[in-house]
Amino acid sequence: MADGPAAQPAFSLAIDAMGGDSAPEVVLDGLELAAERHPNARFLLVGDESRVGAGLARRRRAARICSVRHAPEAIPGDMKPTVALRIRGSSLRIAIDAVASGEASGIVSAGNTGALMALSKIVLKTLPEVDRPALAAIGPSARGDVVMLDLGANVQCDARNLVEFAVMGDAFARAVLGLTAPSIGLLNVGSEELKGDDRVRAAAETLRDSHLGPNFRGFIEGHDITAGTVDVVVTDGFTGNVALKTGEGALKLMRDLLRQVFTSSVPARLGYLLARPALDRLREWMDPRRYNGAILIGLRGVVVKSHGGTDAVGFAHAVDVAMDMVTHGFNAKIRDGMARIAAAAPSTAPPVPAP
Amino acid sequence: MADGPAAQPAFSLAIDAMGGDSAPEVVLDGLELAAERHPNARFLLVGDESRVGAGLARRRRAARICSVRHAPEAIPGDMKPTVALRIRGSSLRIAIDAVASGEASGIVSAGNTGALMALSKIVLKTLPEVDRPALAAIGPSARGDVVMLDLGANVQCDARNLVEFAVMGDAFARAVLGLTAPSIGLLNVGSEELKGDDRVRAAAETLRDSHLGPNFRGFIEGHDITAGTVDVVVTDGFTGNVALKTGEGALKLMRDLLRQVFTSSVPARLGYLLARPALDRLREWMDPRRYNGAILIGLRGVVVKSHGGTDAVGFAHAVDVAMDMVTHGFNAKIRDGMARIAAAAPSTAPPVPAP
């Protein structure tokens, strides 16, 4: 089949077959699952041709929708992004190149996060309307799934960046969660208007006056994330990264303690067996694999990072997220939102700090 | 009994009897419990004389260790700190005045947080060695209790503030957790030395070279808080406040979901009954009341904020924390630590941002 550049991308996604703790096996198993859900997609699978080709030969469904492209090298998980940038023959680089050339609409990789972010920014470049890309992900809350960004792409942000994140988070929630009017909250240390620093107050003011105003719920606090107070949680990359990992850590602590509880005595074991169907539903609902796939948004192309240690089910979820974004014209939504924020004029200029 | 100023404070603690959602009843019930644990303490109970006096008459143990001082006014929970500052006859103000005059070593209030922080800072003032006080609290982890600060007293911090928080957190962990060499971590978006912003990198460098160096574990991430990787988690007030509330929110989500699980079917209910003794131990261990009492440290006097909605058990815990700090010469430890950081010289000057 043709895999040269084309007006309509030949491939839905380019897949870094060599990224992740158990690549390429887990990637291939994940694609076998993804092939069931996206039978009409076409994936460009980039990696060591002999290993990937042999693996694909054993997976009939994945083989039907995947083409293999050879990459002589792979980027280790612990390589510094600055070093990774120089390796032109890596599976990651060749996959990103396929997005840059228009062959594929997006890329999914379970490999080195820093390398993926750095290479995507440099090779794909940001959308013309966007100042800085952001890392977003979906997580569970008491009232359904919640989008949070930035999760670490930008450790220092100004008010303008926060406003951009809100526009991108809005587009993301529409495309991936299928919401028509996602509510948006700005993470702060209190919900009163005077709380926080100049940066969050200036961003809140811009958002209130923007086309997102009707859906902007103002400031929210840390506990609002899992309470599901809003659909989109906007924050700087430092706070977002810490909040995400703190929340995950708290849930892990609770899971570990529950495991201890249910193995602590014979009656407790029996109790576990009786409650097991309900506990299994809870576990399934909270399953981190269901939330696998962080998205670097604001670039010319869809870029999804799968967790490096996930299994086939998790990798397939990351592919789902990327496919949702490709299918729903995600970047068109962002560009539209950015144009509307820009049209609302002076408020997009870097806001003057409050006195 | 004498309650005028004295070289040795007449009272261990001044208690704001009118602060909190169910004051003064919950405060009095909490003191009834505290009286059992601290039979030799003396508390100055400040509030509406007739209500507090009548309540005290019904609580024999508390009555034995408390003296009442009348305050004609009380500060509502939603009053702005700037307004609260002007009310000289409030129970909060009169209690803080008792600490300022040397009558009491510290204060505990379940009332308006902003008012407590503002009044304490203005009336008590910071220790001469401390630039800015910080809000600290203790939380659960997989490896024992963890101290975290700042939790919101300073939404904008520089490297020097972070170093101060480390010194104060160290003293706090020694006094309240009874550790002889608490390990310290600086919250960041990754554990590698180059991660984060200039601020955290400069603070890490100062700490590495200080007397705390041997116990400084460098950068930690959000999930390290509940993993118990370190005893003292240091961060700025914005990040700390969001992290604390995010972790609490995640635990609450899990608790709510478990409640649903165990009421979802007859076998699940039966399973709950069988596992109940073990689940109750877990609940007790995670009980937020056990962690009640946030401490504003760095002031001339011990200042503890109890949660406004806690019950008698929670209030008694806040009193325990304050008593630990008073008993263990907490402020002497801070002053000693600050002196040693200052002696380590140029590193305490506000660090120059890295190039």
Side-chain angles (χ1 to χ4, degrees):
Chain A
M1 108 223 36
D3 69 353
Q8 179 69 9
F11 300 103
S12 319
L13 299 173
I15 309 278
D16 172 12
M18 310 309 285
D21 300 348
S22 309
E25 294 305 316
V26 160
V27 173
L28 290 164
D29 286 340
L31 291 173
E32 186 76 351
L33 293 175
E36 281 187 67
R37 291 183 227 160
H38 311 282
N40 301 318
R42 293 218 55 81
F43 299 145
L44 177 66
L45 201 48
V46 185
D48 179 304
E49 198 162 26
S50 62
R51 288 180 68 194
V52 174
L56 204 56
R58 292 193 303 273
R59 289 162 181 98
R60 206 177 297 173
R61 278 189 298 267
R64 208 172 293 142
I65 63 165
C66 288
S67 306
V68 179
R69 179 168 296 170
H70 182 61
E73 302 193 67
I75 293 173
D78 56 358
M79 181 179 276
K80 287 197 177 167
T82 45
V83 180
L85 282 176
R86 295 195 295 265
I87 304 181
R88 297 205 152 254
S90 74
S91 57
L92 181 60
R93 176 59 184 263
I94 293 174
I96 292 175
D97 283 343
V99 181
S101 70
E103 273 186 288
S105 299
I107 172 181
V108 178
S109 173
N112 187 315
T113 309
L116 174 64
M117 297 212 309
L119 269 169
S120 309
K121 278 194 238 183
I122 290 172
V123 177
L124 298 183
K125 302 200 167 54
T126 55
L127 291 170
E129 297 82 357
V130 172
D131 183 38
R132 292 209 241 164
L135 200 61
I138 302 172
S141 88
R143 294 168 65 187
D145 287 350
V146 168
V147 172
M148 185 152 99
L149 76 172
D150 176 31
L151 299 177
N154 309 279
V155 293
Q156 279 164 309
C157 298
D158 60 18
R160 180 185 160 189
N161 300 134
L162 293 172
V163 171
E164 281 195 354
F165 300 164
V167 172
M168 297 197 288
D170 174 71
F172 185 76
R174 288 170 197 264
V176 179
L177 300 184
L179 301 173
T180 49
S183 57
I184 300 167
L186 194 54
L187 203 53
N188 197 355
V189 297
S191 54
E192 303 84 4
E193 276 192 29
L194 291 171
K195 287 276 182 180
D197 50 26
D198 298 341
R199 197 180 48 144
V200 292
R201 287 197 298 265
E205 206 173 310
T206 304
L207 284 170
R208 243 176 244 119
D209 296 340
S210 75
H211 70 284
L212 296 174
N215 300 327
F216 180 56
R217 299 282 177 275
F219 295 137
I220 57 164
E221 300 180 64
H223 51 80
D224 288 309
I225 302 172
T226 45
T229 308
V230 294
D231 300 310
V232 180
V233 176
V234 174
T235 188
D236 66 274
F238 193 96
T239 311
N241 186 287
V242 168
L244 175 76
K245 290 173 180 168
T246 303
E248 286 177 347
L251 292 177
K252 180 177 185 308
L253 175 64
M254 196 77 168
R255 277 197 308 272
D256 292 348
L257 291 169
L258 280 172
R259 198 169 299 127
Q260 285 176 31
V261 160
F262 287 121
T263 52
S264 63
S265 69
V266 173
R269 279 173 200 269
L270 196 57
Y272 169 71
L273 290 177
L274 283 166
R276 192 167 171 176
L279 283 167
D280 282 350
R281 279 197 303 279
L282 169 61
R283 184 181 314 177
E284 203 173 299
W285 188 80
M286 303 279 286
D287 189 347
R289 297 178 302 180
R290 225 168 64 82
Y291 297 101
N292 185 38
I295 304 91
L296 192 61
I297 55 183
L299 297 174
R300 294 173 189 265
V302 165
V303 179
V304 172
K305 168 68 174 71
S306 162
H307 199 285
T310 195
D311 63 7
V313 172
F315 193 84
H317 271 287
V319 172
D320 284 345
V321 170
M323 286 301 291
D324 276 340
M325 292 167 73
V326 167
T327 314
H328 292 98
F330 173 65
N331 275 346
K333 285 194 174 72
I334 289 186
R335 301 184 69 159
D336 175 56
M338 286 299 181
R340 296 178 70 176
I341 281 276
S347 42
T348 43
V352 180
Chain B
M1 112 226 30
D3 68 354
Q8 178 69 10
F11 300 103
S12 319
L13 300 172
I15 309 277
D16 171 13
M18 311 308 283
D21 301 347
S22 309
E25 293 305 316
V26 161
V27 173
L28 290 164
D29 285 339
L31 291 172
E32 186 76 351
L33 294 174
E36 279 185 68
R37 291 183 228 161
H38 311 281
N40 300 319
R42 294 217 54 83
F43 299 144
L44 178 65
L45 201 48
V46 186
D48 179 305
E49 199 161 27
S50 61
R51 287 179 68 192
V52 174
L56 204 56
R58 291 193 303 272
R59 289 160 181 100
R60 209 177 296 175
R61 279 188 299 266
R64 209 172 293 141
I65 63 165
C66 289
S67 304
V68 179
R69 180 168 296 170
H70 182 61
E73 301 193 66
I75 292 174
D78 56 358
M79 183 180 277
K80 288 197 176 166
T82 45
V83 178
L85 282 175
R86 294 196 295 265
I87 304 182
R88 298 205 151 253
S90 74
S91 57
L92 181 61
R93 176 61 184 260
I94 292 173
I96 292 174
D97 283 344
V99 181
S101 69
E103 272 186 289
S105 299
I107 171 182
V108 177
S109 173
N112 186 315
T113 308
L116 173 64
M117 298 213 308
L119 268 169
S120 309
K121 280 194 238 182
I122 290 173
V123 176
L124 299 183
K125 302 200 168 52
T126 54
L127 290 170
E129 297 82 0
V130 173
D131 182 39
R132 291 209 243 165
L135 202 60
I138 301 172
S141 89
R143 295 168 64 188
D145 287 349
V146 168
V147 172
M148 185 153 99
L149 75 169
D150 176 32
L151 300 176
N154 308 281
V155 293
Q156 278 164 310
C157 297
D158 60 18
R160 179 185 161 189
N161 300 134
L162 293 172
V163 171
E164 282 195 353
F165 300 164
V167 173
M168 297 196 288
D170 173 70
F172 185 76
R174 288 170 196 265
V176 178
L177 301 185
L179 302 173
T180 49
S183 58
I184 300 169
L186 194 53
L187 203 53
N188 197 354
V189 297
S191 54
E192 303 84 5
E193 276 193 27
L194 291 171
K195 288 276 183 179
D197 50 26
D198 298 339
R199 198 179 47 145
V200 291
R201 286 197 298 265
E205 206 174 310
T206 305
L207 285 170
R208 243 176 245 120
D209 297 339
S210 76
H211 70 283
L212 296 174
N215 300 327
F216 180 56
R217 300 283 177 273
F219 295 138
I220 57 163
E221 300 181 65
H223 50 81
D224 289 309
I225 303 171
T226 46
T229 308
V230 294
D231 300 311
V232 180
V233 175
V234 175
T235 188
D236 66 274
F238 193 96
T239 310
N241 185 286
V242 168
L244 174 77
K245 290 174 180 167
T246 302
E248 286 177 346
L251 292 177
K252 180 179 185 306
L253 175 64
M254 196 78 167
R255 278 198 306 273
D256 292 349
L257 291 169
L258 280 172
R259 198 169 298 127
Q260 284 175 33
V261 160
F262 287 123
T263 53
S264 65
S265 69
V266 173
R269 278 173 200 270
L270 196 56
Y272 169 71
L273 289 177
L274 285 166
R276 190 167 172 175
L279 283 167
D280 282 351
R281 280 198 301 279
L282 170 60
R283 184 180 314 176
E284 205 173 296
W285 188 80
M286 303 278 286
D287 189 345
R289 296 177 303 180
R290 223 167 65 81
Y291 296 101
N292 185 39
I295 304 88
L296 192 61
I297 56 184
L299 298 174
R300 295 174 188 264
V302 165
V303 179
V304 172
K305 167 68 173 72
S306 161
H307 199 286
T310 194
D311 63 9
V313 173
F315 193 85
H317 272 287
V319 171
D320 284 345
V321 170
M323 286 301 291
D324 276 340
M325 293 167 73
V326 167
T327 313
H328 293 99
F330 172 64
N331 275 347
K333 286 193 173 71
I334 289 186
R335 301 185 71 159
D336 176 55
M338 286 298 180
R340 295 178 70 175
I341 280 276
S347 45
T348 44
V352 180

